[in-house]
Each structure stands twice: as structure tokens, then as C-alpha cells.
Amino acid sequence: MLNVVRKTLFASLSIIHDKMKKDLLTLRDLSPDDFEALFERAFELKGRGGMGIPDRTLYGKTLGLIFDKASTRTRVSFEAAMVQLGGTPIFLNARDTQLIRNEPIADTARVLSRYLDGLVVRTYSQDLLEELAAAASTPVINGLTDAYHPCQALSDVMTILEKKGQLEGLKIVWVGDGNNVAHSWLNASAILALHFVLACPEGYYPKEDILGPAVKDTSGSIVVLSDPKEAVRDADVIYTDVWASMGQEKESAHRKAVFRPYQVDQALVALAKEDVMVMHCLPAHRGEEIAGDVLEGPQSVVWDQAENKLHMHKAILEKFLLSGEQ
Ligand code: CP
Ligand code: NVA
């Protein structure tokens, strides 16, 4: 009799857990209030960390990181965030798992959900990520797909807030490929009503099914141009990223030729506001999308930008791993 009661209790607990789990697959999963709370907590954690105050909010939690693409910053900042908050990360190169031998992604997700309190996943296909998240009973966080890089855009906006003190009235200009990071910036722009301008070569604009809804939904402004000089005029922020993203290596040579006029060099930066700040999610290719002297110059904030991934990832992990407990 006692066993039956226990079984029923555990079954209902697992249903409650399933219902409560929230994923971060795109920034469209977040409300403006969620953004605000994440920024506030990330700044708080950064301040506390700087003062040497320990936080153990994720004590007893275990995070899996399944990565099917290379990563330095995202992997290490999520792992360090977990350790610093008292939890445990487990890194899984997707190629070392049974995924490589065609175990279905949904089976993998269901099993890992029984061991772990959440997953950060870096892979190619957004559809695959969504399939994984639908089968997982614990939160799934997008650590980059071909379509999006939501955690990157969150820590990037945090960096702008930190340096500029506000988002209102800023002209933020994306120069280069309308890629996964640009897509997450479009989502962020729509939700936060940013003034976001993109300069992309024709044929390399953001995907219409991401750009269109962002333009429609924003109460700020989103403009796509093909002339980088026109785009950066009076810019407060210039942002660039690689010309060939992971998975596009075969297109590299062609892209180098197409994107050459889109290099963020001193001449382009000179057309923006005097106090413009230059951002790059890294890794950077000096002499391609960004000139070496710009990356190393006084307007570049790339190292602080990279650091903020740690603080923002802590805030994200708290929000999603503890969501069923709040
Ligand atoms: N910016 C970023 O996501 O870097 P990694 O590819 O090194 O994780
Ligand atoms: N757009 C780049 C971002 C790397 C962090 C890529 O997907 O390779």
C-alpha cells in the first residue's frame, strides 16, 4: 500500500516538473521583464563576484553540456558559472555519445533528463534542438545553433548597458553576415525596442522568417542596408562577427571576396560617433571581418564582452535550472 502511494506521489511530482520546465531556445522565449531580471541578476552576480562574495545557488544541481560544434567561451563560461554557483557541469562532446551511432535525439533527451537538472546544447539544426527540448523533461538552453545564439545576445546587451548606461536612443549597427548572432540580435531588438541597423551584402541578409516578425513586432526600429558606410553613420555601437560561421567552412573563400567591403576597419569606425564602441562575439579573424588595430584599439570592448558571458550565464542558469522551485 505504502509503495502504491509512493509511486503515485513520484509520478505526480514528475508531471509537475514537466509542466514547469522552461527552455531558452530563442530570445522569443523571454519577455521584457525576463530580460530586465536577467540583466539585474547578472550585474548583481558580477558585483558580488568582484567583491569575493560566494554564491552557492546551484548547489546540488548538475548541468549537461552537449556540444556538436567547437566552443571556447560558451562552454567554459557555462562550466565555470556552474562550478562557481556550487553546481556540477558535465561536458559531452556529441561525437562521444551514442548520438554518433544514431540513437534518436528524443531518446537521448529523455534519458539525460533523468540524470541532469538542465542541458546546454550547441548544435547545427534549430529543429533538432527543438526536438530535443520537446522530449526533455528538464530545461534546455540554446548554446548556439545555425539559426540563433540567444545567450550571446543577452550578454552583449548587458555589455552595452554596462558601458553606455542605457539602451534608449542608441544606434546599434551590425556589419557583416546576417547570421545566427544577428538573428538573436533581431529578436532582442524587437523585445527591447532597440534602434538596430544591419549592413549586409545582398544575399546575406538575415532570414526573412526571423527578420520579418522582428520588424513587425518592434516598437523601436530595425533597418537592413547593404552599404556599411551609410549604416555606421552616427553609430553608438558597431558589432561584427565572422564571415563564415561554423558549418560554412566550404564557402569561406567566396565569402571573403563578397564581404571584403564590410571589414570593420579604422576608416569605417571613423564614420561613427566618436565614442562608438566596437563589439565582436569572438573568435575574431583579424584582417577579415575586423582589422587588428580596431580589435586591439581603445573603442573595442571585446574582452569585457567575453567576460560578461560568465555573469550572464550564471543568471540564465539560475533562472532556468531553478524555475520549478520559485
Ligand atoms: N562567442 C562564442 O560563443 O564563443 P565560442 O564559440 O568560443 O563559445
Ligand atoms: N556566427 C559564429 C558565431 C561563433 C560564436 C558561428 O556560428 O560560427
Side-chain angles (χ1 to χ4, degrees):
M1 181 62 185
L2 191 59
N3 272 345
V4 175
V5 174
R6 271 201 201 124
K7 273 183 194 161
T8 317
L9 178 66
F10 287 142
S12 57
L13 278 176
S14 106
I15 289 164
I16 291 167
H17 187 61
D18 283 5
K19 277 190 181 154
M20 284 178 152
K21 85 120 176 181
K22 286 200 181 77
D23 302 313
L24 178 53
L25 305 183
T26 87
L27 289 180
R28 292 293 190 140
D29 293 331
L30 300 178
S31 68
D33 286 349
D34 291 331
F35 270 82
E36 200 170 310
L38 283 169
F39 295 138
E40 200 176 303
R41 183 62 180 152
F43 282 122
E44 189 181 15
L45 285 163
K46 183 170 184 173
R48 288 171 65 82
M51 289 187 285
I53 303 169
D55 283 291
R56 292 289 180 266
T57 46
L58 297 181
Y59 177 75
K61 300 287 180 194
T62 310
L63 176 77
L65 297 105
I66 308 180
F67 278 47
D68 197 18
K69 284 178 170 179
S71 173
T72 298
R73 281 146 287 270
T74 305
R75 171 186 173 173
V76 177
S77 56
F78 266 115
E79 289 199 51
M82 207 54 200
V83 170
Q84 289 171 21
L85 292 179
T88 305
I90 297 179
F91 180 77
L92 292 157
N93 184 329
R95 276 158 288 172
D96 294 335
T97 69
Q98 298 287 7
L99 286 167
I100 197 75
R101 296 174 64 243
N102 295 328
E103 181 168 19
I105 195 78
D107 292 3
T108 306
R110 281 183 288 181
V111 171
L112 292 181
S113 296
R114 301 287 178 107
Y115 305 148
L116 303 167
D117 298 292
L119 283 168
V120 175
V121 180
R122 173 170 285 200
T123 190
Y124 292 85
S125 156
Q126 181 76 14
D127 288 347
L128 197 79
L129 177 78
E130 285 175 13
E131 195 185 327
L132 187 156
S137 54
T138 50
V140 175
I141 296 165
N142 182 348
L144 181 147
T145 60
D146 291 348
Y148 298 108
H149 197 359
C151 300
Q152 181 68 48
L154 274 169
S155 54
D156 294 340
V157 179
M158 174 188 175
T159 302
I160 295 177
L161 277 169
E162 183 176 51
K163 304 279 178 196
K164 298 278 185 189
Q166 60 179 53
L167 300 173
E168 293 77 18
L170 297 183
K171 180 178 178 185
I172 302 167
V173 182
W174 177 274
V175 180
D177 190 20
N179 64 15
N180 45 4
V181 180
H183 289 156
S184 285
W185 262 95
L186 282 166
N187 286 346
S189 299
I191 296 162
L192 298 172
L194 304 179
H195 178 29
F196 188 51
V197 179
L198 301 100
C200 312
E202 275 173 36
Y204 296 88
Y205 284 15
K207 291 223 172 353
E208 194 44 51
D209 60 340
I210 298 167
L211 175 64
V215 170
K216 187 171 124 304
D217 295 345
T218 190
S219 51
S221 68
I222 294 172
V223 179
V224 187
L225 303 170
S226 51
D227 179 358
K229 295 193 181 78
E230 184 188 347
V232 300
R233 201 154 294 136
D234 294 326
D236 298 281
V237 178
I238 296 176
Y239 196 125
T240 192
D241 184 16
V242 292
W243 290 339
S245 286
M246 289 179 275
Q248 297 172 330
E249 289 78 7
K250 283 191 187 129
E251 298 172 35
S252 260
H254 178 66
R255 282 173 171 262
K256 267 185 205 168
V258 173
F259 281 93
R260 184 67 194 83
Y262 292 78
Q263 183 183 85
V264 176
D265 57 13
Q266 292 288 6
L268 194 72
V269 173
L271 299 174
K273 282 191 182 155
E274 220 174 291
D275 65 349
V276 67
M277 66 186 222
V278 176
M279 303 183 77
H280 192 310
C281 57
L282 304 177
H285 297 87
R286 291 165 173 82
E288 292 182 27
E289 75 276 0
I290 190 160
D293 56 354
V294 171
L295 189 79
E296 302 294 349
Q299 278 142 328
S300 163
V301 299
V302 299
W303 314 116
D304 292 339
Q305 182 185 355
E307 178 189 328
N308 282 339
K309 285 172 73 78
L310 172 69
H311 310 299
M312 178 52 75
H313 291 171
K314 284 184 181 173
I316 292 169
L317 288 171
E318 282 187 352
K319 176 174 172 54
F320 286 86
L321 267 52
L322 301 177
S323 66
E325 296 169 22
Q326 283 157 0

